PDB file of all heavy atoms in Angstrom:
ATOM      1  N   SER A 214     -21.337 -35.533  14.347  1.00 89.00           N
ATOM      2  CA  SER A 214     -20.024 -35.600  14.862  1.00 89.00           C
ATOM      3  C   SER A 214     -19.085 -35.204  13.708  1.00 89.00           C
ATOM      4  O   SER A 214     -18.809 -35.979  12.834  1.00 89.00           O
ATOM      5  CB  SER A 214     -19.597 -36.954  15.424  1.00 89.00           C
ATOM      6  OG  SER A 214     -18.235 -36.979  15.826  1.00 89.00           O
ATOM      7  N   TYR A 215     -18.469 -33.998  13.845  1.00 87.00           N
ATOM      8  CA  TYR A 215     -17.550 -33.566  12.797  1.00 87.00           C
ATOM      9  C   TYR A 215     -16.273 -34.417  12.715  1.00 87.00           C
ATOM     10  O   TYR A 215     -15.695 -34.665  11.699  1.00 87.00           O
ATOM     11  CB  TYR A 215     -17.253 -32.111  13.039  1.00 87.00           C
ATOM     12  CG  TYR A 215     -16.512 -31.427  11.904  1.00 87.00           C
ATOM     13  CD1 TYR A 215     -17.233 -31.076  10.714  1.00 87.00           C
ATOM     14  CD2 TYR A 215     -15.213 -31.114  11.954  1.00 87.00           C
ATOM     15  CE1 TYR A 215     -16.616 -30.525   9.650  1.00 87.00           C
ATOM     16  CE2 TYR A 215     -14.558 -30.529  10.866  1.00 87.00           C
ATOM     17  CZ  TYR A 215     -15.283 -30.236   9.741  1.00 87.00           C
ATOM     18  OH  TYR A 215     -14.629 -29.628   8.660  1.00 87.00           O
ATOM     19  N   GLU A 216     -15.882 -34.894  13.872  1.00 88.00           N
ATOM     20  CA  GLU A 216     -14.705 -35.783  13.959  1.00 88.00           C
ATOM     21  C   GLU A 216     -14.900 -37.092  13.226  1.00 88.00           C
ATOM     22  O   GLU A 216     -14.018 -37.567  12.502  1.00 88.00           O
ATOM     23  CB  GLU A 216     -14.287 -36.042  15.445  1.00 88.00           C
ATOM     24  CG  GLU A 216     -13.755 -34.811  16.158  1.00 88.00           C
ATOM     25  CD  GLU A 216     -12.421 -34.387  15.620  1.00 88.00           C
ATOM     26  OE1 GLU A 216     -11.599 -35.241  15.180  1.00 88.00           O
ATOM     27  OE2 GLU A 216     -12.146 -33.161  15.654  1.00 88.00           O
ATOM     28  N   LYS A 217     -16.140 -37.627  13.425  1.00 91.00           N
ATOM     29  CA  LYS A 217     -16.460 -38.858  12.725  1.00 91.00           C
ATOM     30  C   LYS A 217     -16.471 -38.640  11.175  1.00 91.00           C
ATOM     31  O   LYS A 217     -16.048 -39.573  10.359  1.00 91.00           O
ATOM     32  CB  LYS A 217     -17.821 -39.428  13.188  1.00 91.00           C
ATOM     33  CG  LYS A 217     -17.739 -40.013  14.549  1.00 91.00           C
ATOM     34  CD  LYS A 217     -19.029 -40.630  14.881  1.00 91.00           C
ATOM     35  CE  LYS A 217     -19.004 -41.252  16.362  1.00 91.00           C
ATOM     36  NZ  LYS A 217     -20.366 -41.901  16.672  1.00 91.00           N
ATOM     37  N   ALA A 218     -16.917 -37.477  10.823  1.00 91.00           N
ATOM     38  CA  ALA A 218     -17.016 -37.217   9.351  1.00 91.00           C
ATOM     39  C   ALA A 218     -15.572 -37.104   8.740  1.00 91.00           C
ATOM     40  O   ALA A 218     -15.331 -37.604   7.735  1.00 91.00           O
ATOM     41  CB  ALA A 218     -17.723 -35.855   9.128  1.00 91.00           C
ATOM     42  N   GLN A 219     -14.651 -36.535   9.544  1.00 90.00           N
ATOM     43  CA  GLN A 219     -13.279 -36.401   9.073  1.00 90.00           C
ATOM     44  C   GLN A 219     -12.650 -37.881   9.069  1.00 90.00           C
ATOM     45  O   GLN A 219     -11.925 -38.143   8.106  1.00 90.00           O
ATOM     46  CB  GLN A 219     -12.488 -35.564  10.022  1.00 90.00           C
ATOM     47  CG  GLN A 219     -12.890 -34.042   9.950  1.00 90.00           C
ATOM     48  CD  GLN A 219     -12.481 -33.390   8.636  1.00 90.00           C
ATOM     49  OE1 GLN A 219     -11.754 -34.016   7.770  1.00 90.00           O
ATOM     50  NE2 GLN A 219     -12.901 -32.167   8.526  1.00 90.00           N
ATOM     51  N   ASP A 220     -12.959 -38.670   9.994  1.00 90.00           N
ATOM     52  CA  ASP A 220     -12.460 -40.072  10.022  1.00 90.00           C
ATOM     53  C   ASP A 220     -12.962 -40.755   8.789  1.00 90.00           C
ATOM     54  O   ASP A 220     -12.243 -41.545   8.110  1.00 90.00           O
ATOM     55  CB  ASP A 220     -12.803 -40.769  11.285  1.00 90.00           C
ATOM     56  CG  ASP A 220     -12.089 -40.146  12.495  1.00 90.00           C
ATOM     57  OD1 ASP A 220     -11.030 -39.482  12.326  1.00 90.00           O
ATOM     58  OD2 ASP A 220     -12.552 -40.323  13.693  1.00 90.00           O
ATOM     59  N   SER A 221     -14.272 -40.610   8.552  1.00 92.00           N
ATOM     60  CA  SER A 221     -14.918 -41.346   7.427  1.00 92.00           C
ATOM     61  C   SER A 221     -14.351 -40.952   6.076  1.00 92.00           C
ATOM     62  O   SER A 221     -14.039 -41.791   5.253  1.00 92.00           O
ATOM     63  CB  SER A 221     -16.456 -41.103   7.469  1.00 92.00           C
ATOM     64  OG  SER A 221     -17.091 -41.651   6.335  1.00 92.00           O
ATOM     65  N   VAL A 222     -14.205 -39.716   5.922  1.00 92.00           N
ATOM     66  CA  VAL A 222     -13.741 -39.337   4.604  1.00 92.00           C
ATOM     67  C   VAL A 222     -12.268 -39.608   4.428  1.00 92.00           C
ATOM     68  O   VAL A 222     -11.774 -39.929   3.350  1.00 92.00           O
ATOM     69  CB  VAL A 222     -13.939 -37.707   4.386  1.00 92.00           C
ATOM     70  CG1 VAL A 222     -12.897 -36.882   5.245  1.00 92.00           C
ATOM     71  CG2 VAL A 222     -13.941 -37.343   2.955  1.00 92.00           C
ATOM     72  N   GLY A 223     -11.431 -39.598   5.519  1.00 90.00           N
ATOM     73  CA  GLY A 223     -10.095 -40.036   5.419  1.00 90.00           C
ATOM     74  C   GLY A 223      -9.965 -41.511   5.032  1.00 90.00           C
ATOM     75  O   GLY A 223      -9.100 -41.915   4.245  1.00 90.00           O
ATOM     76  N   GLU A 224     -10.796 -42.456   5.647  1.00 91.00           N
ATOM     77  CA  GLU A 224     -10.747 -43.828   5.363  1.00 91.00           C
ATOM     78  C   GLU A 224     -11.179 -44.069   3.909  1.00 91.00           C
ATOM     79  O   GLU A 224     -10.685 -44.898   3.207  1.00 91.00           O
ATOM     80  CB  GLU A 224     -11.656 -44.560   6.332  1.00 91.00           C
ATOM     81  CG  GLU A 224     -11.049 -44.549   7.777  1.00 91.00           C
ATOM     82  CD  GLU A 224     -12.133 -45.220   8.745  1.00 91.00           C
ATOM     83  OE1 GLU A 224     -13.180 -45.639   8.217  1.00 91.00           O
ATOM     84  OE2 GLU A 224     -11.842 -45.264   9.931  1.00 91.00           O
ATOM     85  N   TRP A 225     -12.270 -43.267   3.465  1.00 92.00           N
ATOM     86  CA  TRP A 225     -12.834 -43.492   2.175  1.00 92.00           C
ATOM     87  C   TRP A 225     -11.856 -43.142   1.075  1.00 92.00           C
ATOM     88  O   TRP A 225     -11.734 -43.832   0.009  1.00 92.00           O
ATOM     89  CB  TRP A 225     -14.096 -42.699   2.060  1.00 92.00           C
ATOM     90  CG  TRP A 225     -14.953 -43.122   0.869  1.00 92.00           C
ATOM     91  CD1 TRP A 225     -14.940 -42.681  -0.397  1.00 92.00           C
ATOM     92  CD2 TRP A 225     -15.995 -44.131   0.919  1.00 92.00           C
ATOM     93  NE1 TRP A 225     -15.820 -43.365  -1.124  1.00 92.00           N
ATOM     94  CE2 TRP A 225     -16.593 -44.233  -0.369  1.00 92.00           C
ATOM     95  CE3 TRP A 225     -16.540 -44.896   1.922  1.00 92.00           C
ATOM     96  CZ2 TRP A 225     -17.538 -45.059  -0.657  1.00 92.00           C
ATOM     97  CZ3 TRP A 225     -17.579 -45.846   1.699  1.00 92.00           C
ATOM     98  CH2 TRP A 225     -18.089 -45.848   0.365  1.00 92.00           C
ATOM     99  N   PHE A 226     -11.122 -42.082   1.194  1.00 91.00           N
ATOM    100  CA  PHE A 226     -10.202 -41.648   0.119  1.00 91.00           C
ATOM    101  C   PHE A 226      -8.772 -42.169   0.294  1.00 91.00           C
ATOM    102  O   PHE A 226      -7.938 -41.823  -0.542  1.00 91.00           O
ATOM    103  CB  PHE A 226     -10.091 -40.029   0.203  1.00 91.00           C
ATOM    104  CG  PHE A 226     -11.327 -39.398  -0.409  1.00 91.00           C
ATOM    105  CD1 PHE A 226     -12.449 -39.140   0.323  1.00 91.00           C
ATOM    106  CD2 PHE A 226     -11.335 -39.053  -1.739  1.00 91.00           C
ATOM    107  CE1 PHE A 226     -13.514 -38.557  -0.241  1.00 91.00           C
ATOM    108  CE2 PHE A 226     -12.446 -38.506  -2.352  1.00 91.00           C
ATOM    109  CZ  PHE A 226     -13.541 -38.224  -1.582  1.00 91.00           C
ATOM    110  N   ALA A 227      -8.500 -43.029   1.298  1.00 89.00           N
ATOM    111  CA  ALA A 227      -7.239 -43.656   1.432  1.00 89.00           C
ATOM    112  C   ALA A 227      -6.918 -44.588   0.243  1.00 89.00           C
ATOM    113  O   ALA A 227      -5.757 -44.818  -0.059  1.00 89.00           O
ATOM    114  CB  ALA A 227      -7.190 -44.456   2.824  1.00 89.00           C
ATOM    115  N   ALA A 228      -8.011 -45.041  -0.440  1.00 89.00           N
ATOM    116  CA  ALA A 228      -7.768 -45.958  -1.516  1.00 89.00           C
ATOM    117  C   ALA A 228      -7.126 -45.242  -2.708  1.00 89.00           C
ATOM    118  O   ALA A 228      -6.523 -45.952  -3.526  1.00 89.00           O
ATOM    119  CB  ALA A 228      -9.176 -46.482  -1.940  1.00 89.00           C
ATOM    120  N   ILE A 229      -7.170 -43.962  -2.776  1.00 87.00           N
ATOM    121  CA  ILE A 229      -6.504 -43.301  -3.883  1.00 87.00           C
ATOM    122  C   ILE A 229      -5.268 -42.427  -3.338  1.00 87.00           C
ATOM    123  O   ILE A 229      -4.832 -41.579  -4.041  1.00 87.00           O
ATOM    124  CB  ILE A 229      -7.476 -42.332  -4.672  1.00 87.00           C
ATOM    125  CG1 ILE A 229      -8.100 -41.264  -3.647  1.00 87.00           C
ATOM    126  CG2 ILE A 229      -8.560 -43.154  -5.317  1.00 87.00           C
ATOM    127  CD1 ILE A 229      -8.972 -40.298  -4.428  1.00 87.00           C
ATOM    128  N   GLY A 230      -4.785 -42.885  -2.162  1.00 86.00           N
ATOM    129  CA  GLY A 230      -3.519 -42.290  -1.740  1.00 86.00           C
ATOM    130  C   GLY A 230      -3.678 -41.146  -0.875  1.00 86.00           C
ATOM    131  O   GLY A 230      -2.621 -40.443  -0.494  1.00 86.00           O
ATOM    132  N   LEU A 231      -4.849 -40.689  -0.466  1.00 88.00           N
ATOM    133  CA  LEU A 231      -4.976 -39.500   0.352  1.00 88.00           C
ATOM    134  C   LEU A 231      -5.162 -39.910   1.799  1.00 88.00           C
ATOM    135  O   LEU A 231      -5.503 -41.085   2.162  1.00 88.00           O
ATOM    136  CB  LEU A 231      -6.263 -38.710  -0.136  1.00 88.00           C
ATOM    137  CG  LEU A 231      -6.197 -38.180  -1.532  1.00 88.00           C
ATOM    138  CD1 LEU A 231      -7.490 -37.455  -1.863  1.00 88.00           C
ATOM    139  CD2 LEU A 231      -4.978 -37.292  -1.833  1.00 88.00           C
ATOM    140  N   GLN A 232      -4.887 -38.988   2.648  1.00 85.00           N
ATOM    141  CA  GLN A 232      -4.962 -39.218   4.060  1.00 85.00           C
ATOM    142  C   GLN A 232      -5.850 -38.305   4.836  1.00 85.00           C
ATOM    143  O   GLN A 232      -6.213 -37.258   4.331  1.00 85.00           O
ATOM    144  CB  GLN A 232      -3.536 -39.281   4.736  1.00 85.00           C
ATOM    145  CG  GLN A 232      -2.849 -37.869   4.635  1.00 85.00           C
ATOM    146  CD  GLN A 232      -1.590 -37.850   5.341  1.00 85.00           C
ATOM    147  OE1 GLN A 232      -1.028 -38.876   5.724  1.00 85.00           O
ATOM    148  NE2 GLN A 232      -0.958 -36.717   5.335  1.00 85.00           N
ATOM    149  N   ARG A 233      -6.175 -38.645   6.077  1.00 84.00           N
ATOM    150  CA  ARG A 233      -6.988 -37.780   6.845  1.00 84.00           C
ATOM    151  C   ARG A 233      -6.231 -36.518   7.194  1.00 84.00           C
ATOM    152  O   ARG A 233      -5.045 -36.583   7.447  1.00 84.00           O
ATOM    153  CB  ARG A 233      -7.488 -38.497   8.135  1.00 84.00           C
ATOM    154  CG  ARG A 233      -8.460 -37.670   9.021  1.00 84.00           C
ATOM    155  CD  ARG A 233      -8.516 -38.334  10.358  1.00 84.00           C
ATOM    156  NE  ARG A 233      -9.686 -37.798  11.168  1.00 84.00           N
ATOM    157  CZ  ARG A 233      -9.636 -36.586  11.709  1.00 84.00           C
ATOM    158  NH1 ARG A 233      -8.585 -35.791  11.761  1.00 84.00           N
ATOM    159  NH2 ARG A 233     -10.689 -36.207  12.447  1.00 84.00           N
TER     160      ARG A 233
END
Side-chain angles (χ1 to χ4, degrees):
S214 174
Y215 193 72
E216 291 291 327
K217 287 184 179 180
Q219 292 290 353
D220 293 338
S221 173
V222 77
E224 294 174 1
W225 196 271
F226 284 86
I229 58 175
L231 300 177
Q232 64 180 2
R233 187 194 189 282

